[in-house]
Amino acid sequence: MCHYSSPIIVSNCFLYLPLLPPLRILIHDVQELVDQSAPKDTSSRNQIPENYNYTQYHPMEEIYTWMAQIQKSNSELVTQHYLGETVENRTIYYLQISQPSDRTKKIIWMDCGIHAREWISPAFCQWFVKEILQNYESDPKIRKFLQNLDLYILPVLNIDGYIYSWETARLWRKNRSPHLNGTCYGTDLNRNFNSSWGTLGVSYNCSSEIFCGTGPESEPETRAVVQLIERKKSDILCYLTIHSYGQYILTPYGSTTEPPSNNEELMHVAQTAAAALREKYGTSYEVGSTSLILYSNSGSSRDWAHMIGIPFSYTFELRDKGTYGFILPADQIQPTCEETMLAVTTIIEYVDQKYFPGGAMMLTSANLGLSLSSLL
């Protein structure tokens, strides 16, 4: 989620240098890194192996199949839901992880892959689902918050752009909506939400990386998210959107330096999450509002979610700080996901404790009759 100036060409790919010095791209051979990050066994593509490899980047067809199989293997906990359609008429699904309960529960929302080239983001959403399902029976913290909270996970929001980044242009960022009679393509979905839309850190040039669209919620992907969140907003306590790169946990707002009313608490929780993340591998994340520590921008999903009343709203910018940038090698998927898992669960645990301080009756797989199949 970087801010860009003029393009340079590296190995026949366009790279855009960010305006801020902390986010430097130092990639010397893009194609080599692309080759390294792609699956080694191309014969298995579109045929998910029995043991799904969470330390590898996966094309969209494999992620679709993974979602369906995750639901089938864990039907007591996981349901797959229709969210909407993309510009190119692909279906957007999200997963709901919900422990059976007679009570109405609150919701934690997490989306990944709003920017096509940020492959570590969908990798984390898949890792998160895997970790929750593998560990909820043995981990009392996960078991506790699943009594009160349902998890809604959208592994890839920008499906068309993600596929385009695999098949055509690895560093593609936007969706694939056509503009000016098909002379340019793509809207930055994270400039397209109705939060001070079109005012700061955007472009009205459809060739720009940060083109904000023809109006707020002009894109079907944006509208799909908005329609669900608006319906559920009274039950959603936390909105997490996962990006790369830069190693930040960003709070509202990007469009103003005026802090939100609960800024002190937002900052406290984010700093606690960053500390938990750092404990694993010593990775340092900076915490603060986008406008104060990164750059000003409008139309972001994080700002929009907070503005409509969701109390906790954060953007994660995952590894790294610019050495590999968007082309993070596959061997960094596991450590990135492990440390991010600690940060995200820290936030979820805080929200759970805040709104459900007394806890709830401890439910176990035994008295629920759950039978989790082995994960893919």
Side-chain angles (χ1 to χ4, degrees):
M1 193 182 74
C2 304
H3 202 167
Y4 304 90
S5 57
S6 60
I8 61 172
I9 299 178
V10 180
S11 297
N12 298 320
C13 292
F14 283 96
L15 291 181
Y16 289 78
L17 288 178
L19 295 178
L20 295 177
L23 297 180
R24 294 174 297 140
I25 298 179
L26 303 173
I27 300 173
H28 301 292
D29 191 337
V30 170
Q31 188 56 52
E32 181 181 346
L33 287 168
V34 170
D35 293 341
Q36 289 174 359
S37 65
K40 298 296 187 290
D41 182 9
T42 56
S43 64
S44 67
R45 189 165 298 182
N46 305 329
Q47 297 178 8
I48 298 295
E50 184 175 351
N51 297 312
Y52 192 77
N53 189 346
Y54 291 90
T55 62
Q56 189 178 85
Y57 296 116
H58 292 275
M60 193 63 220
E61 286 192 22
E62 291 185 5
I63 297 174
Y64 271 135
T65 304
W66 169 83
M67 293 177 75
Q69 293 188 355
I70 279 285
Q71 175 183 243
K72 183 178 180 181
S73 300
N74 305 281
S75 58
E76 296 89 351
L77 281 179
V78 181
T79 48
Q80 178 176 276
H81 297 273
Y82 172 88
L83 184 68
E85 303 289 324
T86 68
V87 168
E88 296 178 343
N89 298 313
R90 295 183 175 95
T91 302
I92 309 170
Y93 296 108
Y94 67 94
L95 296 175
Q96 178 179 342
I97 301 178
S98 179
Q99 188 167 276
S101 173
D102 294 333
R103 297 178 297 113
T104 300
K105 291 190 285 184
K106 297 298 185 180
I107 296 167
I108 305 291
W109 169 270
M110 182 192 299
D111 64 63
C112 292
I114 194 172
H115 289 144
R117 61 194 174 196
E118 299 169 9
W119 288 8
I120 188 61
S121 170
F124 175 70
C125 261
Q126 294 168 81
W127 184 278
F128 177 82
V129 169
K130 181 242 327 171
E131 286 293 298
I132 294 296
L133 295 178
Q134 277 186 338
N135 297 313
Y136 91 99
E137 288 185 298
S138 59
D139 187 325
K141 291 181 178 180
I142 296 175
R143 204 161 63 243
K144 162 70 168 60
F145 66 63
L146 279 183
Q147 294 170 34
N148 306 312
L149 303 169
D150 287 346
L151 307 176
Y152 286 38
I153 301 103
L154 174 55
V156 185
L157 170 52
N158 181 8
I159 293 172
D160 296 343
Y162 184 72
I163 291 172
Y164 195 76
S165 76
W166 273 81
E167 296 181 350
T168 305
R170 174 64 183 86
L171 294 173
W172 187 258
R173 168 183 170 93
K174 303 181 287 180
N175 77 346
R176 292 293 298 163
S177 56
H179 301 282
L180 299 180
N181 296 317
T183 58
C184 62
Y185 284 82
T187 295
D188 182 347
L189 297 177
N190 204 42
R191 302 293 184 274
N192 192 236
F193 285 79
N194 193 15
S195 52
S196 304
W197 178 86
T199 58
L200 287 167
V202 301
S203 173
Y204 294 103
N205 177 354
C206 59
S207 296
S208 169
E209 293 276 70
I210 52 173
F211 174 56
C212 58
T214 55
E217 302 170 15
S218 62
E219 307 307 299
E221 297 92 344
T222 310
R223 291 195 301 273
V225 172
V226 166
Q227 288 165 8
L228 176 69
I229 300 300
E230 286 280 8
R231 286 201 313 270
K232 303 276 190 180
K233 67 181 180 182
S234 61
D235 291 323
I236 300 175
L237 299 178
C238 183
Y239 189 104
L240 302 172
T241 181
I242 312 298
H243 296 238
S244 72
Y245 61 91
Q247 296 173 197
Y248 296 95
I249 303 177
L250 300 172
T251 63
Y253 296 108
S255 58
T256 176
T257 56
E258 187 70 24
S261 58
N262 64 334
N263 186 62
E264 186 175 337
E265 185 177 28
L266 281 167
M267 287 293 294
H268 165 71
V269 175
Q271 288 163 349
T272 304
L277 185 153
R278 189 168 55 247
E279 285 291 316
K280 186 69 177 176
Y281 294 110
T283 309
S284 179
Y285 271 54
E286 190 174 353
V287 172
S289 73
T290 309
S291 57
L292 291 178
I293 69 169
L294 196 51
Y295 50 71
S296 295
N297 69 336
S298 56
S300 74
S301 64
R302 174 205 58 249
D303 284 6
W304 170 79
H306 194 271
M307 286 175 177
I308 67 167
I310 296 172
F312 294 91
S313 183
Y314 297 104
T315 300
F316 274 74
E317 297 283 357
L318 303 185
R319 291 190 189 185
D320 55 14
K321 294 182 76 68
T323 302
Y324 297 103
F326 301 116
I327 314 197
L328 193 70
D331 62 12
Q332 290 199 38
I333 294 174
Q334 181 167 341
T336 301
C337 290
E338 286 176 344
E339 66 192 11
T340 307
M341 191 76 193
L342 294 173
V344 167
T345 53
T346 295
I347 294 172
I348 295 173
E349 288 162 18
Y350 179 90
V351 171
D352 177 47
Q353 185 60 33
K354 177 181 173 69
Y355 291 93
F356 301 94
M361 182 183 71
M362 187 63 70
L363 302 177
T364 66
S365 60
N367 60 37
L368 284 172
L370 297 180
S371 176
L372 264 184
S373 303
S374 59
L375 286 166
L376 310 179

